[in-house]
């Protein structure tokens, strides 16, 4: 079935370090791909999305490129801040209306 | 603009009691989703509605769980009777359409069943 696999966390970084959180997917069709972020005590917020192959989603310094050949949608940021500490979820959406989420990756950034 | 509003934010109750969680979606959004989040199972979709009609309830764990959407601005998720394994954070989300439209989440209800 359709699924999303994320790297396990926590990912621990120093401020201004480079971030990569890996995400790969399995889907029978051509999904749209999303990254959501969850800050402590809050619900998930959409961070960025890409709807077709080779699209790059970006927001707040985060980027992810839809790679059909490797079925991946890795999240990157060039210089993380303490305020980026959160749980990041990769998700896909096919023809149906529901999202399929990965298990989430916790990011901890220290000053 | 008001986001998705959930109530209560926290609920602590004893096993066997009825629990009702409430959600007010963003005005104009015609999709509403109920999720459950636990450390063990992550984020699970329980049920979702389109135009107040339940579309997919395959994620509802068992008959003790029920959800309704009597109108476009209100939905409830009910657990009766509640059990300790139902302890989780329950999220409601809404979206203005299917496909590529993002889902907007509420801040969740943290439920503890003693």
């Amino acid at each position: 079935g359709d699924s999303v696999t994320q790297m396990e966390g926590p990912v621990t970084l120093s401020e201004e370090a480079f971030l990569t959180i890996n995400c790969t997917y399995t889907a029978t069709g051509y999904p749209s791909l999303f990254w959501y972020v969850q800050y402590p005590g809050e619900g998930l917020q959409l961070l960025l999305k890409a709807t077709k192959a080779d699209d790059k989603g970006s927001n707040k310094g985060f980027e992810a490129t839809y790679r059909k050949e490797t079925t991946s949608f890795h999240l990157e940021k060039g210089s993380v801040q303490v305020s980026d500490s959160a749980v990041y979820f990769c998700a896909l959406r096919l023809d149906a209306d529901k999202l399929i989420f990965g298990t989430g990756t916790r990011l901890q950034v220290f000053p | 603009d008001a986001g998705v509003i959930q109530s209560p934010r926290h609920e602590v109750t004893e096993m066997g009691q009825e629990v009702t969680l409430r959600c007010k979606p963003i005005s104009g959004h015609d999709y509403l989703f109920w999720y459950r989040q636990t450390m063990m199972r992550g984020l699970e979709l329980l049920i979702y509605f389109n135009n107040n009609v339940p579309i997919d309830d395959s994620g509802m764990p068992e008959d003790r769980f029920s959800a309704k959407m009597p109108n476009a601005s209100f939905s409830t998720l009910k657990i009766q009777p509640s059990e300790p394994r139902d302890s989780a954070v329950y999220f409601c989300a809404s979206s203005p359409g299917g496909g590529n439209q993002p889902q907007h989440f509420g801040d969740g209800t943290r439920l503890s069943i003693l």
Side-chain angles (χ1 to χ4, degrees):
Chain A
D2 304 319
S3 65
V4 175
T5 302
Q6 291 182 234
M7 63 188 289
E8 287 197 20
V11 174
T12 303
L13 295 172
S14 298
E15 205 164 26
E16 299 183 3
F18 184 86
L19 168 71
T20 300
I21 299 178
N22 290 338
C23 170
T24 58
Y25 66 90
T26 301
T28 52
Y30 299 97
S32 295
L33 300 174
F34 303 81
W35 277 101
Y36 280 78
V37 59
Q38 184 179 27
Y39 298 101
E42 298 183 9
L44 280 69
Q45 303 172 26
L46 178 67
L47 181 60
L48 53 84
K49 70 177 183 181
T51 58
K52 61 183 187 297
D54 299 326
D55 269 2
K56 177 185 283 188
S58 62
N59 186 27
K60 299 181 182 179
F62 291 89
E63 293 183 339
T65 301
Y66 189 144
R67 301 286 188 198
K68 182 182 172 186
E69 63 276 12
T70 55
T71 62
S72 65
F73 192 54
H74 304 322
L75 182 67
E76 297 181 337
K77 187 175 185 182
S79 176
V80 293
Q81 305 300 312
V82 173
S83 57
D84 293 326
S85 298
V87 181
Y88 292 82
F89 291 88
C90 185
L92 68 82
R93 197 174 200 179
L94 282 165
D95 296 332
D97 301 312
K98 59 186 180 182
L99 285 167
I100 297 173
F101 285 94
T103 53
T105 302
R106 182 176 300 277
L107 170 65
Q108 296 175 326
V109 181
F110 293 95
Chain B
D1 288 342
V4 174
I5 299 172
Q6 292 186 244
S7 64
R9 286 299 311 275
H10 303 274
E11 174 89 12
V12 181
T13 192
E14 292 187 346
M15 183 175 66
Q17 297 298 306
E18 179 179 289
V19 173
T20 300
L21 310 181
R22 297 173 176 78
C23 176
K24 176 179 170 54
I26 294 172
S27 177
H29 285 194
D30 51 6
Y31 282 83
L32 184 139
F33 304 82
W34 281 102
Y35 291 90
R36 177 172 69 176
Q37 186 177 38
T38 62
M39 290 293 292
M40 292 296 293
R41 301 171 69 92
L43 196 63
E44 303 172 277
L45 176 66
L46 301 177
I47 185 172
Y48 78 94
F49 296 82
N50 180 23
N51 292 321
N52 313 338
V53 176
I55 302 301
D56 184 349
D57 66 353
S58 59
M60 296 286 263
E62 48 197 278
D63 292 345
R64 297 184 297 106
F65 286 69
S66 62
K68 294 182 180 179
M69 193 164 186
N71 57 62
S73 59
F74 184 65
S75 177
T76 60
L77 177 67
K78 187 172 293 187
I79 308 172
Q80 167 63 19
S82 58
E83 297 182 3
R85 60 193 169 118
D86 302 330
S87 299
V89 181
Y90 290 81
F91 289 103
C92 176
S94 69
S95 71
N100 301 324
Q101 295 295 328
Q103 294 181 16
H104 300 258
F105 283 72
D107 286 338
T109 295
R110 182 174 295 277
L111 177 63
S112 297
I113 309 297
L114 306 178

